[in-house]
Amino acid sequence: RNGKLGLSSHHGIHSNSASNLVIRDLEIYDFEVAAIHLNGFNGATLENLILGPSLQEVPLTGYYSGGRFLLLPLRQLLQTVDDNELEMPSITFNGDRELNLEEIIDNLVESMDLVYRVITGDVNEDTIIDEVQVQNNPNYIAGKALFMNEEGLPDGSSIYGILANSKGPAVFGFGSSANEIGDGEDLTINDVTIQGLRLLANEIPVLSFDKCYGADTLSTIQLGPFADVFDLRKTLSQTDAALIESHAVDPDILDHIKYIGNPLADAQIALAVFAQYTGNDFGFGGNIDDLLVSWAKGESTFPSSCADFICNGDVMFHTNKGIAGARIDGIENVKIIELVINDLVNESPLVSYACGNYSGPHNGGSTGQEMEEGGMGTDIRGIAFSRGDAEIIGPKSSVSNLDSFYGDTTGLDIFNDATVDFDVGSDITIRKLKSASKLTESQYNYLVSEGKTPYPNNFDLCTINIEDTSTVIGAVPEGKNGSD
């Protein structure tokens, strides 16, 4: 209590399985995921809080953390090679580009370090290092394209003012966490303002080869050991990368794409190839298929006809959910006395069509995402009640000024068997909502003609949405007893 919490690459406050928690008289700002995230708690009071704005000068993309984590097993592997005086392993990528393990590690380190040094002002692009201007260094050029976040907004799957979740991680879909007795109960929110949340999600169509082995559904994706998704787009020329968007309608269109690579993708493939080179397993559960390795080495064509993609996920395959001022998911006995949510803007672009006009997880969407939703990274929800039950007390709560550039906007979303009880004289004022505010008429007409809306791109605008399985009871104010 009684302070300010700022500048976090994750949460302002994050707790698991807390009891009798009181968070009071605080300002929390400059976070990338949530101001307050509570999992599996029993008793929490949030009072007299100003949450936001979220961080809007994020210098690095999500790929950067993937690269840093990947260095851990790579360096351990290199050290074991040296300690055992083994021959340095090497790999020849497409185009006769041969690199040994040490060179692959050096390229990854230099690409990240140069970007970091430019961002922090230690050097600039005109600085000469080893007789080469930074801006002309191939590793800096590759690193800048991967790691530098020039837009400055968080690029992950979601951002929240308050995230109260029943138990366990909340990175997958709404309602996906366990919710037994004791898994998130007794939450009171009073005199809390949530403001200034921003998001520019980087949706990554995640590659899967399951169908190449006769599977009917997709469950295995290409990623490294730290959930670092292998982003096929970043390994190709711009011309080849653009073809991915047409793969759902033309499964053979990627037959002739060529691996160019980048320091991160080279390292992901190298770790998969060399993981057991020393007799120890340094793979740590990553999954880079032999079909992908063979293609990257130029030994075979890309298996386009059986390759497929899963959409609506971020750089760690977390399900995209957009912005929610407050997400109350699987929490029983919630009391909201005064909650003011204002100025939420989702700048995420139109969602990928690499998975076709998918509507849910059954036909190309991320595991655990909502049905009949399509892409969700562009969405905004003022307050999201998923499962559990909540009571609205008093007339002081409000949701206003929500703006999704290319997706849905919902002021109050009640779904997944949630129950909301309005006390006598209570209300949530909802006003000034925008959906698809940057979508032009010509863009919309194109999406319609190509079958790219209502799925995966949808642009619904709802003051309140009440799913059929959810209920609103009590002294329900006018306009709050049905979807609008």
Side-chain angles (χ1 to χ4, degrees), residues 82-94:
D82 289 343
D83 289 347
N84 290 277
E85 299 182 350
L86 299 175
E87 181 180 352
M88 185 66 63
S90 65
I91 183 171
T92 302
F93 291 106
N94 177 61

Side-chain angles (χ1 to χ4, degrees), residues 54 186 188 238 256 289 387 400 423:
S54 58
D186 300 331
T188 299
Q238 288 186 350
H256 303 296
D289 197 277
R387 309 176 297 167
S400 61
D423 193 22

